[in-house]
Amino acid sequence: MQITTIGLDIAKNVFQVHGGNRQGQAVLRRKVRRDQLLPLFRRLEPCLIGIEACATAHHWAR
């Protein structure tokens, strides 16, 4: 499973993680709790990560 791109929908406690390969096929779809996010990324090869940036995302960033 070679993931080249990840889309991350951030939230307060649960994140949606979607990973795609070079062909654009979804190879990872997972709901992840906040404490599981970094361990998940540590197991993956380096790749491009896109993060949702809505109004609530900016609120939590502050």
Side-chain angles (χ1 to χ4, degrees), residues 35-52:
D35 62 337
Q36 297 172 325
L37 190 62
L38 286 178
L40 171 67
F41 283 150
R42 284 187 189 114
R43 291 191 304 267
L44 299 175
E45 293 293 321
C47 63
L48 177 68
I49 299 175
I51 301 175
E52 169 207 29

Side-chain angles (χ1 to χ4, degrees), residues 9 11 13 23 25 33-35 39-40 45 58-60:
D9 182 6
N13 293 311
Q23 292 77 32
Q25 298 169 325
R33 289 191 327 264
R34 181 176 288 275
D35 62 337
L40 171 67
E45 293 293 321
H58 295 294
H59 168 76
W60 289 112

Side-chain angles (χ1 to χ4, degrees), residues 8-20:
L8 181 63
D9 182 6
I10 60 175
K12 186 174 182 180
N13 293 311
V14 178
F15 302 104
Q16 290 289 335
V17 181
H18 296 267

